[in-house]
Amino acid sequence: TQLLEQSPQFLSIQEGENLTVYCNSSSVFSSLQWYRQEPGEGPVLLVTVVTGGEVKKLKRLTFQFGDARKDSSLHITAAQPGDTGLYLCAGEKAAGNKLTFGGGTRVLVKP
Amino acid sequence: KAGVTQTPRYLIKTRGQQVTLSCSPISGHRSVSWYQQTPGQGLQFLFEYFSETQRNKGNFPGRFSGRQFSNSRSEMNVSTLELGDSALYLCASSLLTQGASGELFFGEGSRLTVL
């Protein structure tokens, strides 16, 4: 069982549609990061959230950290083919601890 | 500035052999972490080195080991390879140790196939 559960595991949508990816846990995290990984490459950091209830926007991407710091979501508005990739959430349980990754959500945006 | 460099990018080994993978972090980064990525298990933490000391270790058998040199370059070794060790091995460097919410910069990975 993953400490961080991501859903859905796979998402296929048409260009222009919206999508939301969820990252859930029963544990509290001091911070949570979202990464995107494209085929043949390593993950690249998109955002870090540290405060419960925090909302961060990155162009068409909106990230939210749950009030209790146990969950997070990533919402993409008007998805484009360039948004295709594997989205990974990663959490730190406490200072000095290792970063734990969720299982990932594979997003395919068709033109 | 140059990114994280991992070598080799691809390699094929047979069961029972051993393998050494290398990682050169971004200049100035003192933390190097290693992850194993497979379709079934996702990204699994192997270990983190900071200033030549292993700070954290994941739940992998003793066949998996690593080290970090004084120039922050790191190597990981897998002995007595098993079919299940086939995976993409990712190295990530960070300016800060993982507990300080530092950003991880990943290399492109070393894809290991065990036959």
Side-chain angles (χ1 to χ4, degrees):
Chain A
T1 304
Q2 297 266 7
L3 184 63
L4 279 167
E5 297 284 345
Q6 285 189 240
S7 61
Q9 288 183 298
F10 179 72
L11 199 53
S12 178
I13 60 172
Q14 292 295 136
E15 182 176 1
E17 293 182 339
N18 302 332
L19 68 98
T20 302
V21 175
Y22 299 93
C23 176
N24 295 304
S25 176
S26 57
S27 299
V28 175
F29 291 94
S30 59
S31 69
L32 198 136
Q33 299 177 346
W34 283 93
Y35 290 79
R36 180 171 66 208
Q37 183 178 19
E38 299 184 23
E41 299 180 8
V44 176
L45 180 69
L46 296 173
V47 77
T48 300
V49 286
V50 297
T51 305
E54 182 176 4
V55 177
K56 280 193 174 179
K57 289 182 180 288
L58 186 66
K59 296 184 181 177
R60 294 174 294 99
L61 279 61
T62 301
F63 304 85
Q64 185 161 9
F65 201 12
D67 291 340
R69 290 185 289 136
K70 292 183 179 181
D71 54 81
S72 181
S73 64
L74 156 61
H75 182 79
I76 301 179
T77 304
Q80 299 177 1
D83 296 324
T84 292
L86 177 67
Y87 289 82
L88 297 155
C89 65
E92 280 179 344
K93 287 187 70 178
N97 209 328
K98 62 183 185 292
L99 203 62
T100 301
F101 280 81
T105 295
R106 197 166 295 279
V107 172
L108 173 63
V109 182
K110 293 181 279 190
Chain B
K1 55 182 175 183
V4 177
T5 304
Q6 291 188 246
T7 58
R9 289 291 312 280
Y10 303 92
L11 66 165
I12 300 173
K13 294 285 187 177
T14 56
R15 279 180 298 175
Q17 287 187 311
Q18 68 143 17
V19 66
T20 298
L21 308 178
S22 179
C23 173
S24 292
I26 291 172
S27 178
H29 285 193
R30 294 162 62 189
S31 169
V32 173
S33 300
W34 288 90
Y35 289 84
Q36 181 195 66
Q37 186 174 33
T38 58
Q41 298 296 317
L43 267 165
Q44 302 282 308
F45 173 77
L46 281 157
F47 26 67
E48 182 205 0
Y49 287 88
F50 185 83
S51 294
E52 300 180 67
T53 301
Q54 188 180 85
R55 290 198 72 253
N56 275 308
K57 191 176 190 304
N59 298 321
F60 279 82
R63 300 184 297 107
F64 291 80
S65 63
R67 59 178 175 168
Q68 187 180 33
F69 302 95
S70 58
N71 62 358
S72 293
R73 190 177 70 85
S74 177
E75 289 181 347
M76 68 161 282
N77 183 278
V78 188
S79 62
T80 320
L81 284 166
E82 300 176 359
L83 295 178
D85 296 332
S86 294
L88 180 68
Y89 289 88
L90 288 162
C91 163
S93 79
S94 176
L95 188 62
L96 307 170
T97 184
Q98 280 201 8
S101 300
E103 174 180 357
L104 294 182
F105 293 84
F106 284 87
E108 294 179 316
S110 292
R111 183 164 295 282
L112 170 66
T113 301
V114 182
L115 302 176

